[in-house]
């Protein structure tokens, strides 16, 4: 009932042009990274508004939403989890964190990763010394799990903790996927906003071996002379 209700509500918010554009933007064609994904044509601000109406859902109900073939419903489910995590006590935060990592098969495009992992995985590990899960995810054959490992570091970076993004970036220099090059370059750029010396030091060590996309993203905020 919840799944059908949300599908009906989001369908009413559908933009016909977005319904055509989004599958192309998220590469849903044969052989592309989002192959087979379906879109209702709803923009993120409307998905956020919808998610706020369903914050009392149980994890069993969220599981149903995550299993939806529609991208926007899965995103709505993840945004519900993010909001629930913010309001939860430490015990329930642990449950949400474990639930999130148990359902990564449904977190299967870059926006689904980027709009959720740093607010759940990143926040959960922010004050922890035990972050081995990031290194297990970074070695996954699943592209999206590798991206979760990197983008979760955003939360650490904003707290001036650069150890994991430096280590992961070094280990992922040989990753073959452009979406990982972009994610890692993005996180390095964020590190540079907080501590330019750390970024320059990393670049001086690795710029010859970095994929060009990773390098381009990481130096975006440097001056022409620094570049």
């Amino acid at each position: 009932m919840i799944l059908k209700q949300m599908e009906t509500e989001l369908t009413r918010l559908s933009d016909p042009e977005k319904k055509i554009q989004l599958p192309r933007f998220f590469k849903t064609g044969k052989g592309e990274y989002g192959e087979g994904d379906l879109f209702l044509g709803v923009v993120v601000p409307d998905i956020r508004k919808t998610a706020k109406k369903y914050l009392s859902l149980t994890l069993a109900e969220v599981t149903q939403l995550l299993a939806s073939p529609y991208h926007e419903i899965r995103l709505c489910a993840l945004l519900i989890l993010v909001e629930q995590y913010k309001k939860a006590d430490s015990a329930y935060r642990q449950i949400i964190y474990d639930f999130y990592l148990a359902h990564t098969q449904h977190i299967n495009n870059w926006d689904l990763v980027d709009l959720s992992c740093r607010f759940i995985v990143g926040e959960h590990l922010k004050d922890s010394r035990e972050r081995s899960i990031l290194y297990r995810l970074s070695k996954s054959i699943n592209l999206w799990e590798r991206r979760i490992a990197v983008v979760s570091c955003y939360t650490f970076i904003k707290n001036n903790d650069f150890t994991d993004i430096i280590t992961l970036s070094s280990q992922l220099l040989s990753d073959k996927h452009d979406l990982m090059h972009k994610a890692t370059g993005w996180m390095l750029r964020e590190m540079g906003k907080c501590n330019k010396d750390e970024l320059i030091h990393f670049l001086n060590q690795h710029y010859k071996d970095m994929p060009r996309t990773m390098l381009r993203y990481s130096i975006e905020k440097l001056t022409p002379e620094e570049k």
Side-chain angles (χ1 to χ4, degrees), residues 6-222:
M6 182 175 288
E7 185 177 326
T8 300
E9 189 165 343
L10 288 173
T11 299
R12 291 197 195 104
L13 298 169
S14 175
D15 179 328
E17 288 188 11
K18 291 293 183 185
K19 194 170 183 178
I20 295 171
Q21 293 169 358
L22 290 174
R24 296 173 184 164
F25 184 71
F26 287 102
K27 307 294 185 185
T28 63
K30 187 171 178 57
E32 295 182 308
Y33 59 73
E35 181 177 351
D37 206 355
L38 301 178
F39 284 80
L40 295 167
V42 188
V43 296
V44 172
D46 285 338
I47 299 171
R48 288 190 183 278
K49 289 176 186 175
T50 303
K52 289 179 180 179
K53 300 177 185 179
Y54 291 89
L55 297 184
S56 62
L57 291 189
T58 65
L59 291 182
E61 290 168 324
V62 172
T63 301
Q64 295 177 45
L65 301 182
L66 283 173
S68 171
Y70 289 106
H71 187 101
E72 292 94 336
I73 292 178
R74 298 198 305 282
L75 177 54
C76 199
L78 292 167
L79 294 176
I80 289 167
L81 286 178
V82 167
E83 291 303 315
Q84 287 183 344
Y85 186 90
K86 289 178 183 177
K87 295 175 169 57
D89 59 23
S90 58
Y92 198 61
R93 283 187 169 191
Q94 180 68 47
I95 290 170
I96 292 173
Y97 167 79
D98 292 337
F99 176 88
Y100 184 90
L101 292 175
H103 290 82
T104 55
Q105 72 270 29
H106 302 302
I107 309 170
N108 56 354
N109 214 310
W110 59 264
D111 64 320
L112 304 182
V113 171
D114 296 356
L115 292 172
S116 62
C117 71
R118 47 185 161 151
F119 305 108
I120 297 177
V121 178
E123 278 296 324
H124 202 75
L125 299 179
K126 182 177 65 177
D127 299 318
S128 174
R129 294 185 178 181
E130 177 46 61
R131 297 176 181 172
S132 59
I133 182 61
L134 298 180
Y135 297 89
R136 291 201 296 274
L137 291 172
S138 73
K139 294 178 174 64
S140 173
I141 60 171
N142 183 317
L143 164 64
W144 310 117
E145 290 188 343
R146 300 201 305 278
R147 190 167 173 114
I148 287 170
V150 170
V151 178
S152 293
C153 292
Y154 182 94
T155 310
F156 314 152
I157 292 166
K158 291 306 177 183
N159 286 272
N160 293 306
D161 179 354
F162 312 124
T163 301
D164 293 292
I165 193 54
I166 289 171
T167 304
L168 287 169
S169 297
S170 301
Q171 293 177 356
L172 289 165
L173 289 173
S174 59
D175 196 287
K176 302 300 182 186
H177 206 291
D178 186 61
L179 284 175
M180 288 304 299
H181 304 165
K182 290 177 178 178
T184 309
W186 170 28
M187 291 302 106
L188 290 171
R189 184 178 72 227
E190 293 302 319
M191 180 177 74
K193 290 179 185 177
C194 298
N195 189 318
K196 189 181 292 186
D197 289 342
E198 286 283 3
L199 173 59
I200 297 295
H201 180 68
F202 181 90
L203 294 174
N204 282 334
Q205 288 184 308
H206 298 292
Y207 76 92
K208 292 181 180 179
D209 302 316
M210 291 171 72
R212 295 303 91 177
T213 300
M214 184 193 298
L215 178 59
R216 188 174 73 251
Y217 271 54
S218 68
I219 65 175
E220 272 185 356
K221 297 301 181 181
L222 299 182

